[in-house]
Amino acid sequence: IKGSAASIFIQYGTSDSLNEDFEGYPTLRLNELNNLFIEYPAKYCNSLSTDQFKSLKLKKNDVVICRTNGNPNLVGKTAIILEDTEYAFASYLFRVRTNNKVLLPQVLVCYLNTKYGRAEVDKHSMTSNQTNFSPARFRKIQIPKFSTNFQSKIEQVVNQAYQLKTSSFRHFENATKTLLVELNLETWQPPKLTFTIGGVPFQTDDNINEIQLDQVLKSNRIDSEYWQSYLVDLEDKVKSYSEGYAELSAICKIHSENYVPKSDQEYRYIELSNIGGYGNVTGHTLDYGKNLPTRARRKVKTGQVIISSIEGSIDKCALITKSNNDSICTNGFHVIDSDSINSETLIVIMKSLPFQNLLIKGCSGTILQAINPYFFGKLIIPKVKNNTQQSIKDSITKMYAEREFADQLIEIGKKATELYVEKDESTGLKYITGQCKELGL
């Protein structure tokens, strides 16, 4: 069947400008499409009327597809919405509502993420300055006519994966709550949320803060942003923690040594776009050292935590797990680990709202502001109790276990779909049934 027969409704997103100031409606972009599903939008649109938003609101069983990008591999990237949302979506995406009598949305999103679906996208894409896969082109793609029984199996697998991913997010939120309650910061908020940097709320109230000259000279910072009273107060709250505190450089090792990739060796390369919203690495580029950018100069190990140094993306932090051991990342990340604070606690600290604000406090520069190694090392870190660290570790471990299980299910769905296309319905059904049985489903 063609895409035109499989769909009953196709729509472009909004081309209006977006902001990071929490103003207007959350608006989904390519950045939030992650392995068949979506994450919470980082940007907002405040120019949509109520009626416009209603017409763009993403609903259960919508499929969103990236239609244009400078990177051809990202064009056709696809995710499914499995709950009604309060999100709009941006114009470089379009959404498809399938004719469920012909094709379930779970099957469409699986198919487009297989090598055969990818080949159809590539075949019908147009490239000039950017690659474009328009709704008109989607209507022309060829989609196998999957049996009702097979589609039902794919639907079950995708829905189960979604439930696991959703549950995994709650474990991260529980870990964050455990940390902030321990530090007596669970209700802490900046005094006024009027604008953000990299998704982190900042306040703009005019205020006066008296700082001793010797403090200013000692800090090497004379800019008023660094001395905002609410940030000084926040540091004081962290310093009042009963177990004590230390500067990051005293409690963590900062791995700033450069690694030069070997030209003829293949590496997993992690960049900002591969960092998810829950301290996780969502993917990587696989390429030879000779093809990696010159900024690919950090080799990371299991248990290390990477934190973006760039002001607009300080929230891009992740824990390196076994699957990403020996990967290469850009030198725009700070890389740390610690003998006294477990890695799971470190990532929760770095992702939490109070410490995101303290990280941004350390940013400096003119054209491109960033937190340099010196000010990064000056970040105040609490010496979290061992039992609290263990509780946080337990939650994060559960999060990764559920995400891994979900990813396994997604791969089973994709592989079964490929086997259906390559061979027949029986082979696809046998594979998906056998794999699910092995997993106890």
Side-chain angles (χ1 to χ4, degrees), residues 192-343:
K192 186 177 181 182
L193 308 183
T194 56
F195 75 97
T196 65
I197 301 174
V200 180
F202 258 66
Q203 59 91 21
T204 58
D205 283 343
D206 292 330
N207 58 25
I208 297 173
N209 192 25
E210 294 184 5
I211 304 296
Q212 296 295 321
L213 179 60
D214 62 339
Q215 289 181 268
V216 175
L217 295 175
K218 185 178 179 181
S219 70
N220 294 317
R221 292 291 293 265
I222 63 171
D223 50 305
S224 60
E225 290 83 3
Y226 186 82
W227 295 106
Q228 291 183 89
S229 59
Y230 87 101
L231 291 174
V232 174
D233 290 344
L234 175 57
E235 277 197 344
D236 289 341
K237 285 181 181 293
V238 176
K239 290 177 179 179
S240 70
Y241 176 53
S242 59
E243 299 299 305
Y245 68 94
E247 290 185 352
L248 184 142
S249 59
I251 205 169
C252 297
K253 183 175 181 181
I254 302 175
H255 300 273
S256 56
E257 57 275 11
N258 277 335
Y259 176 83
V260 180
K262 297 177 182 178
S263 62
D264 59 348
Q265 184 173 331
E266 202 170 36
Y267 296 92
R268 292 181 299 270
Y269 174 56
I270 300 169
E271 51 190 328
L272 282 176
S273 61
N274 298 130
I275 307 301
Y278 289 84
N280 56 305
V281 177
T282 61
H284 59 262
T285 301
L286 194 63
D287 210 340
Y288 289 96
K290 62 186 177 183
N291 298 325
L292 295 178
T294 55
R295 63 182 180 275
R297 289 293 183 268
R298 297 282 186 269
K299 193 172 187 179
V300 292
K301 301 288 186 180
T302 302
Q304 291 179 337
V305 172
I306 59 175
I307 304 102
S308 170
S309 63
I310 308 302
E311 183 182 60
S313 55
I314 292 289
D315 61 321
K316 297 293 187 179
C317 314
L319 173 62
I320 301 300
T321 58
K322 288 181 181 179
S323 62
N324 288 298
N325 185 49
D326 282 339
S327 293
I328 305 294
C329 72
T330 167
N331 56 15
F333 286 109
H334 292 298
V335 182
I336 62 171
D337 55 24
S338 174
D339 292 331
S340 58
I341 300 182
N342 64 46
S343 300

Side-chain angles (χ1 to χ4, degrees), residues 352-364:
S352 68
L353 179 61
F355 289 92
Q356 282 279 293
N357 274 263
L358 291 178
L359 279 166
I360 291 179
K361 176 189 176 185
C363 290
S364 61

